[in-house]
Amino acid sequence: MAEEANVQAQAPSNRAPQRNGGRPPRRDGRGPVVEEKKEFDERIVHIDRVARVVKGGRRFRFRALVVVGDHKGKVGIGIAKGADVTAAVTKATEVAKKHMSKMNLYKGTLPHEAEGKVGGARILIKPASAGTGLIAGGVVRTILEVTGVSNVLSKSLGSTNKANTAYATIAALNSLEPAKNWVTNRTDTAAAKAHKAVAKEATK
């Protein structure tokens, strides 16, 4: 019995070496499954069922509202319809990626106060100090999160329609101007004074 046990211990094993933390290799010859990192953060904001009246009755479809962002200032929204939820979400995601735009942010918040209005929806967003967080809810919060805003104050002043609210939020973000475009420098003030002096001398 002891000799048989020694022979079994010395015999080479026919099992393939294990990889990936002890898991055996795949039988189909392919390597381990590697999950691809997504470039953008895709959020499904709202899914609605819509109907169209035809000769034989009503035909139902699905409409999806999707927000896409990279948490670095780029964001886009898309609305699309499909025969099922998966098709609608896929189409809306493609639309959102095609209509992405770069927003002007400042140290995790906004450079100044902004307001956007689309249809009956009115959105007001204001910059906030560090540690405030996102004081927003619903669609506005989702859009600000994927854009990369960390501290902001917001208020919805009109309609609660999610599509119009989303577009109003994007309109408010698009209206933001960087500080270099609205801060008056001393050199600009001196040049303006010199220009006024020259114009005053010319009129005499």
Side-chain angles (χ1 to χ4, degrees), residues 16-28:
Q18 295 184 348
R19 301 176 295 179
N20 305 328
R23 294 183 181 178
R26 295 169 64 108
R27 293 183 179 180
D28 53 9

Side-chain angles (χ1 to χ4, degrees), residues 38-54:
K38 291 187 177 181
E39 183 181 359
F40 301 109
D41 185 3
E42 303 170 3
R43 305 277 186 94
I44 300 173
V45 177
H46 185 62
I47 295 177
D48 195 14
R49 192 179 73 165
V50 295
R52 183 176 62 180
V53 179
V54 295

Side-chain angles (χ1 to χ4, degrees), residues 12-192:
S13 177
N14 294 328
R15 297 176 63 184
Q18 295 184 348
R19 301 176 295 179
N20 305 328
R23 294 183 181 178
R26 295 169 64 108
R27 293 183 179 180
D28 53 9
R30 294 182 295 172
V33 178
V34 179
E35 296 184 0
E36 296 182 0
K37 291 184 179 180
K38 291 187 177 181
E39 183 181 359
F40 301 109
D41 185 3
E42 303 170 3
R43 305 277 186 94
I44 300 173
V45 177
H46 185 62
I47 295 177
D48 195 14
R49 192 179 73 165
V50 295
R52 183 176 62 180
V53 179
V54 295
K55 187 176 181 180
R58 289 188 295 177
R59 182 174 297 174
F60 292 100
R61 302 180 75 194
F62 293 92
R63 180 176 61 196
L65 172 61
V66 176
V67 179
V68 177
D70 64 349
H71 294 271
K72 297 178 182 178
K74 288 187 69 175
V75 66
I77 58 176
I79 298 178
K81 298 176 184 177
D84 54 11
V85 175
T86 305
V89 170
T90 302
K91 291 179 182 179
T93 303
E94 293 176 357
V95 172
K97 289 182 179 179
K98 288 180 181 178
H99 296 85
M100 294 187 74
S101 54
K102 182 71 174 178
M103 306 301 174
N104 296 308
L105 305 181
Y106 178 73
K107 294 182 179 180
T109 185
L110 311 177
H112 58 84
E113 179 181 324
E115 183 177 339
K117 187 176 185 304
V118 173
R122 232 175 98 213
I123 299 297
L124 175 65
I125 51 179
K126 294 182 177 183
S129 58
T132 303
L134 290 176
I135 309 301
V139 183
V140 181
R141 185 182 185 90
T142 304
I143 294 176
L144 293 174
E145 280 182 353
V146 299
T147 305
V149 182
S150 303
N151 304 287
V152 73
L153 304 171
S154 70
K155 181 69 177 177
S156 178
L157 303 172
S159 170
T160 58
N161 181 281
K162 292 188 177 181
N164 286 347
T165 301
Y167 281 110
T169 306
I170 294 294
L173 290 173
N174 279 325
S175 66
L176 296 174
E177 291 289 339
K180 62 181 181 180
N181 290 353
W182 51 268
V183 173
T184 304
N185 296 324
R186 292 183 179 180
T187 54
D188 297 339
T189 305

